[in-house]
Amino acid sequence: MRFPLSSLRRTAAGAVLLLAAGLSTLSPAAARAEATEVRFARNLGLGYLPLYVMQDRGLVEKHAKAAGLGEVTARYTPLGNPTTITEATLSGNADFGAAGVPAFIIAWDKTRGNANLTGVAALNAQPAYLNTNKPTIKSLKDFTDKDRIVVPSVRASYQAIVLQIASEQAFGPGQHARLDPLTVSLSHPDGTAALLSGRTEITAHFTSPPYQDQQLQNPAIHTVLSSYDVLGGPASFSALWTSAAFRDANPTLYKAVLAALDEAVAFIKADPQESARIFIRIENSKLPADTVAALINHPEINYDLTPRGIGTFTGFMARIGSIRNKPADWRDLFFADIHDRAGS
């Protein structure tokens, strides 16, 4: 039996409408199952305090459940090297990475067109101090070939890039790499131990809170410079990133992570004392809670998800060849969820 073409068209159209109606009744979980575990790789120190608070208070789990995702497990792995953190996100061993802003910028640049690692938000703004145990070192020009400067990751960490900017300021254009041969990669705790011992070739450590403040409790340690002096004022110290693929596959979970970050920052501002105790518990730190709380409340430290001073880093890093792709605006590096914030 043959059917008129018009009848076939009406039948096909009806089938499409029925299929669409059936799909619309499916739950979001049935339509697209999102991850039930989310893994964070982070660096060490108060620059990553929002993640410590998220871990301690189960904030990702809380917001994931509120969003209808059910039971979600969040895992946090502390790593002391920004390059290792980037590798963890690229290898699939972590879904989110948290490290200094320059390390994030390098990761963003190197993964354009493939993994597309992109920023979720900044985590805080804080100064980093270059401390030394050598009385004769008063400025960068006093370092000799016998000195060694600890940074978290050579030529890639926040401290390493700030040191390059400072070197160009001290020695002139084109001299950004002048002190690079003196730098060595160590985690903040290991670098602190080496500097305080005074028994190694380590004579300086470019670090971050609370390690730099712990060092300065020793009268033999003094500060050579602050990153804020080099950068001309406050700028974001750390950032959180993930891949475009993870965000696309887990849109609800991604928003739960961002909501957890916002709540963590609000908690830090409302209760620095408990935030300090959280940091001490997770780090198994011997520092007094009042000391850590005072650092959290320090006027030069601000916990805020808005990226600030990103252009200072990208402009310098593009000029010296650390990155190939210079973003036109800070928003090029971050997902659209925070584009309405007044960043720079």
Side-chain angles (χ1 to χ4, degrees):
M1 182 182 296
R2 299 181 66 184
F3 294 94
L5 183 58
S6 59
S7 175
L8 288 173
R9 286 172 176 166
R10 286 195 298 271
T11 302
V16 170
L17 289 173
L18 286 171
L19 178 60
L23 287 175
S24 68
T25 63
L26 293 174
S27 68
R32 173 190 276 180
E34 296 196 16
T36 58
E37 180 182 76
V38 57
R39 301 157 301 165
F40 296 85
R42 61 158 175 80
N43 212 319
L44 312 173
L46 290 176
Y48 309 93
L49 185 59
L51 297 181
Y52 288 78
V53 172
M54 285 163 58
Q55 176 179 351
D56 184 81
R57 298 182 65 81
L59 297 184
V60 172
E61 294 88 338
K62 167 187 169 182
H63 286 280
K65 182 174 286 189
L69 292 178
E71 297 296 330
V72 171
T73 301
R75 303 191 187 280
Y76 301 80
T77 301
L79 299 171
N81 184 296
T83 303
T84 305
I85 292 168
T86 300
E87 290 171 352
T89 56
L90 288 175
S91 65
N93 290 313
D95 304 304
F96 290 83
V101 165
F104 155 60
I105 294 171
I106 291 172
W108 170 87
D109 177 66
K110 288 185 175 180
T111 61
R112 293 302 83 202
N114 43 76
N116 290 319
L117 296 181
T118 306
V120 178
L123 296 176
N124 87 331
Q126 65 181 27
Y129 297 163
L130 174 60
N131 289 339
T132 181
N133 59 13
K134 199 170 179 180
T136 56
I137 298 177
K138 305 296 184 183
S139 73
L140 296 189
K141 294 182 177 180
D142 296 324
F143 283 100
T144 71
D145 292 341
K146 295 181 180 180
D147 295 305
R148 292 296 179 267
I149 305 168
V150 171
V151 294
S153 182
V154 171
R155 292 186 293 277
S157 61
Y158 176 96
Q159 290 84 351
I161 297 299
V162 171
L163 183 61
Q164 289 186 330
I165 297 173
S167 294
E168 193 169 78
Q169 292 172 356
F171 300 108
Q175 297 296 307
H176 58 273
R178 179 79 168 260
L179 298 179
D180 282 3
L182 307 185
T183 58
V184 295
S185 298
L186 285 176
S187 69
H188 295 306
D190 289 344
T192 295
L195 185 71
L196 291 175
S197 75
R199 296 190 298 269
T200 71
E201 62 183 355
I202 302 301
T203 56
H205 188 189
F206 211 161
T207 182
S208 67
Y211 308 101
Q212 60 197 25
D213 308 277
Q214 180 183 357
Q215 294 169 9
L216 290 170
Q217 292 175 5
N218 186 322
I221 309 296
H222 69 272
T223 299
V224 179
L225 58 81
S226 163
S227 61
Y228 279 10
D229 296 332
V230 177
L231 300 174
S236 293
F237 174 82
S238 52
L240 181 72
W241 69 80
T242 189
S243 67
F246 181 89
R247 180 174 177 269
D248 290 344
N250 303 278
T252 305
L253 181 54
Y254 178 90
K255 289 181 179 179
V257 170
L258 190 56
L261 273 176
D262 269 320
E263 182 172 345
V265 167
F267 181 87
I268 291 167
K269 292 179 178 179
D271 197 343
Q273 196 74 31
E274 179 57 24
S275 300
R277 287 191 284 266
I278 288 171
F279 176 82
I280 290 168
R281 280 199 299 271
I282 293 177
E283 280 296 311
N284 195 26
S285 172
K286 303 303 180 186
L287 289 171
D290 287 344
T291 298
V292 177
L295 292 175
I296 294 171
N297 263 333
H298 194 283
E300 288 189 323
I301 296 179
N302 180 40
Y303 291 94
D304 183 8
L305 303 188
T306 302
R308 305 184 192 281
I310 305 300
T312 300
F313 286 111
T314 58
F316 173 79
M317 293 168 72
R319 179 166 59 79
I320 68 169
S322 290
I323 58 174
R324 295 168 297 173
N325 305 291
K326 181 183 178 182
D329 184 80
W330 68 269
R331 293 175 180 85
D332 294 345
L333 289 90
F334 290 85
F335 289 117
D337 306 76
I338 62 164
H339 284 185
D340 59 341
R341 308 196 185 204
S344 61

